[in-house]
Amino acid sequence: MMATSQLLEHIILLLLLLSFFLSVQTTAAAGFADKLERGQNLTDGETLVSAGGSYTLGFFSPGVSTKRYLGIWFSVSNNTVYWVANRDQPLGDRTGILIFDDVDRLVLLDGSRRRAWSSNFLAAPAAVVQLLESGNLVVRNGSSDTSLWQSFDHPSDTLLPGMKLGKNLWTGGDWQLTAWRSADDPSPGDYRRTLEMAGLPELVVWHRDVKKYSTGPWNGLNFNGVPERSWFADKYPLRVTTSPSEMTFGYTAAPDAFLTRVVVNHTGATERLVWDVGTGEWRSYCKGPRDTCDTYARCGPFGLCDAGAASSAFCGCVEGFSPVHATPSSQEVKDSAGGCRRDAPLDCAGGKTTDGFKVVPGVKLPDTQNASVDMEVELEECRDRCFADCSCLAYAAVDIRGGGHRTGCVIWKDDIFDLRFVDGGQNLYLRLSKSEFDNRKRFPTLLVATPVASVVVIVLVVFLIWWRSRRRIIGGIPHNPTMAVPSVGLDIIRDVTQNFSNGNIIGQGGFSVVYKGLLPEGRTVAVKRLKQSALTTKGNKDFAREVEVMAGLRHGSLVRLLAYCSESRERILVYEYMQNKSLNVYIFGATNLRASLNWARRLELLKGIAHGVAYLHGGSGESVIHRDLKPGNILVDDEWNPKIADFGTAKLFAVDHAGLDQTIVVSP
Ligand SMILES: *[C@@H]1O[C@H](CO)[C@@H](O)[C@H](O)[C@H]1NC(C)=O
Ligand SMILES: *[C@@H]1O[C@H](CO)[C@@H](O)[C@H](O)[C@H]1NC(C)=O
């Protein structure tokens, strides 16, 4: 009994001692290493380190420069400076000193006591300067939570979690990023990144006063032109705040998230990077501009940019428009960067109109600078408003958070700019003349007809295709100026496949043969020719439906249908050619092939496929069920990106016959 209580006493004593030492240690560690009290100075060589050790404030020289600057950097990567005090007043030597003086000023002086930088805030009796674990350098009055001054209000070229871009509507303050002049010179350069709020909120990179790149409008989830941002939304949620006091964009970081930053560099590129603890490097998560189509207004008014275009001509026109610079001698215009003009005039006056709307699916919405926005209206009413207003040229939903139930209304009355295809993009509804709807030149649109009429339509279509191919100039697969997948003549297909030569066969299935094809401009395509035995009446209908379905789908994880041919008894689909064939080759193949699928690559492939399937299951605005997802239907491009293939035909031809053990059937 006695022994037990003694033991207990010892344990308690030990615990008390231990906790005492621990508390002494933590206070010592925190010390004032992250703080400057009134009257304390920081000289070149000394630093402040935030309590958790993530950020360091001190003097540095960027790159090859020998000039000295006061800045804050990531402790893990001391050449990653995210904030600079004296951006355009560098110090010539190491005699600089940061003074927190008696009149409550944070002042940076050079060796001859000239002021290189200072912060302004109201004097407070117990002011203290502290570098917080968020990376924010704040001046506070004692332990008060409100700051008198903070570095987050004066961004350099980097946005950290908790920082904002936009406007403080009370103070008139403006938060924006300004790039460095060069990698070695932090003085403000020519590129800026701002949140634009005329119309819908958009992030814009400017070169002086010229727009260079826009992320597209905010749609409640992300910026419309950069849907891949939602990939890391769980770790770094984005937020756009619209309130009487501020209109801002910012993001936060989940407690377990790695260090991250968004930076606009001296070349105008914006990048989101995450610190990879494993490799000790910054990893780029997304970057903009990504391609030529991200160049602001690349294709001029009513142009539509397609970064994956079948040729090097990225610019096309929205449906119902033609390139302004088209010359009669070149029907297949190489590039319509000069913009597009309407083919058939609208018919709208005095409250009467015969116009209609056509959907341009999968796009980054046009610049909304001059657009009008009404968040209270739903898509149906938005359409009615646009219809009733003769000056309305296009409309779209604003907020897509409700999935299929899209709300808010944005209406364009001017020329539309900066339209491009984008994975997981939105629908734009475009006002077009009545004649664009009954015009025979739009084959796939005709097939929206009811199933009863479709047989008649097929006959009509086959005739029209034949008629059209007589007329059309033969010059390879035409560049697609509109959303519809172009049809090509059988003679062209024979040309590119060397008349369906056996030597060109790259694959064979129960219902089709796949040939390798070479376009005149050198691009390789895969040509899938359906076997005659598969061409029942149902087969014909299904073929047309696949073309129609594929026309509305655009995603980096889906194979692109480039063209089709439907002449007499030939049904042919032309796809992007995939160097690395399909996934089954690697999963079930020889050891050396299997070895090329390491776990990291498998994970990336799985993620890509999952994004593609998520897109099919509603991300595209419609629901498409593949019903035959299997390794053989996942193609792999030369960068090991997965491409889901075999739509419609797989479902339509294979499901009736294929063994279910091979087929994962996803029921709706
Ligand atoms: C801080 O700098 C000021 C001005 O150079 C000087 O007067 C003061 O003595 C310094 N204080 C400390 C604690 O070094
Ligand atoms: C918006 O209107 C202004 C003034 O007419 C014009 O300069 C600007 O180019 C327009 N912006 C867009 C995107 O249409």
Short mmCIF file of all heavy atoms in Angstrom, two decimals, residues 211 296 367 369-370 414-415 417, ligand 2:
data_model
loop_
_atom_site.label_atom_id
_atom_site.label_comp_id
_atom_site.label_asym_id
_atom_site.label_seq_id
_atom_site.Cartn_x
_atom_site.Cartn_y
_atom_site.Cartn_z
N LYS A 211 -4.72 43.09 -72.27
CA LYS A 211 -5.06 41.78 -71.72
C LYS A 211 -4.27 40.70 -72.45
O LYS A 211 -4.23 40.68 -73.68
CB LYS A 211 -6.55 41.49 -71.93
CG LYS A 211 -7.44 42.11 -70.90
CD LYS A 211 -8.87 41.61 -71.05
CE LYS A 211 -9.79 42.48 -70.21
NZ LYS A 211 -11.20 42.11 -70.35
N TYR A 296 -5.13 35.80 -75.17
CA TYR A 296 -6.41 36.49 -75.12
C TYR A 296 -6.95 36.83 -76.51
O TYR A 296 -6.22 37.36 -77.35
CB TYR A 296 -6.29 37.77 -74.29
CG TYR A 296 -7.60 38.51 -74.20
CD1 TYR A 296 -8.61 38.06 -73.36
CD2 TYR A 296 -7.84 39.62 -74.99
CE1 TYR A 296 -9.83 38.70 -73.30
CE2 TYR A 296 -9.06 40.28 -74.93
CZ TYR A 296 -10.04 39.81 -74.08
OH TYR A 296 -11.25 40.44 -74.04
N ASP A 367 -15.26 36.67 -72.99
CA ASP A 367 -15.01 37.79 -72.08
C ASP A 367 -16.35 38.42 -71.67
O ASP A 367 -17.19 38.69 -72.51
CB ASP A 367 -14.14 38.82 -72.81
CG ASP A 367 -13.64 39.90 -71.88
OD1 ASP A 367 -14.45 40.42 -71.08
OD2 ASP A 367 -12.46 40.25 -71.96
N GLN A 369 -16.63 41.33 -69.97
CA GLN A 369 -16.43 42.74 -69.62
C GLN A 369 -17.67 43.61 -69.90
O GLN A 369 -18.07 44.42 -69.09
CB GLN A 369 -15.24 43.29 -70.39
CG GLN A 369 -14.86 44.70 -69.99
CD GLN A 369 -13.81 45.30 -70.93
OE1 GLN A 369 -13.33 44.64 -71.85
NE2 GLN A 369 -13.46 46.54 -70.69
N ASN A 370 -18.25 43.41 -71.09
CA ASN A 370 -19.41 44.23 -71.46
C ASN A 370 -20.72 43.45 -71.40
O ASN A 370 -21.73 43.89 -71.93
CB ASN A 370 -19.22 44.80 -72.87
CG ASN A 370 -17.99 45.67 -72.96
OD1 ASN A 370 -17.59 46.31 -71.99
ND2 ASN A 370 -17.36 45.69 -74.12
N ASP A 414 -22.50 42.46 -77.49
CA ASP A 414 -21.42 42.89 -78.39
C ASP A 414 -20.82 41.66 -79.05
O ASP A 414 -21.18 40.54 -78.73
CB ASP A 414 -20.30 43.55 -77.57
CG ASP A 414 -20.69 44.93 -77.13
OD1 ASP A 414 -21.54 45.53 -77.81
OD2 ASP A 414 -20.14 45.40 -76.11
N ASP A 415 -19.83 41.91 -79.88
CA ASP A 415 -19.01 40.82 -80.40
C ASP A 415 -18.50 39.99 -79.23
O ASP A 415 -18.21 40.54 -78.17
CB ASP A 415 -17.80 41.38 -81.16
CG ASP A 415 -18.21 42.03 -82.46
OD1 ASP A 415 -19.43 42.01 -82.77
OD2 ASP A 415 -17.33 42.57 -83.16
N PHE A 417 -15.57 37.59 -77.59
CA PHE A 417 -14.12 37.40 -77.72
C PHE A 417 -13.63 36.31 -76.76
O PHE A 417 -14.23 36.09 -75.73
CB PHE A 417 -13.37 38.69 -77.33
CG PHE A 417 -13.47 39.78 -78.34
CD1 PHE A 417 -14.40 40.79 -78.20
CD2 PHE A 417 -12.64 39.80 -79.45
CE1 PHE A 417 -14.50 41.80 -79.13
CE2 PHE A 417 -12.72 40.80 -80.38
CZ PHE A 417 -13.66 41.81 -80.22
C1 LIG B 2 -16.16 46.58 -74.16
O1 LIG B 2 -16.53 47.86 -74.57
C2 LIG B 2 -15.42 48.77 -74.71
C3 LIG B 2 -16.01 50.13 -75.07
O2 LIG B 2 -16.86 50.03 -76.15
C4 LIG B 2 -14.47 48.23 -75.77
O3 LIG B 2 -13.37 49.08 -75.90
C5 LIG B 2 -14.00 46.84 -75.37
O4 LIG B 2 -13.18 46.29 -76.36
C6 LIG B 2 -15.19 45.94 -75.13
N1 LIG B 2 -14.70 44.66 -74.61
C7 LIG B 2 -15.10 43.49 -75.09
C8 LIG B 2 -14.50 42.30 -74.48
O5 LIG B 2 -15.94 43.38 -75.95
#
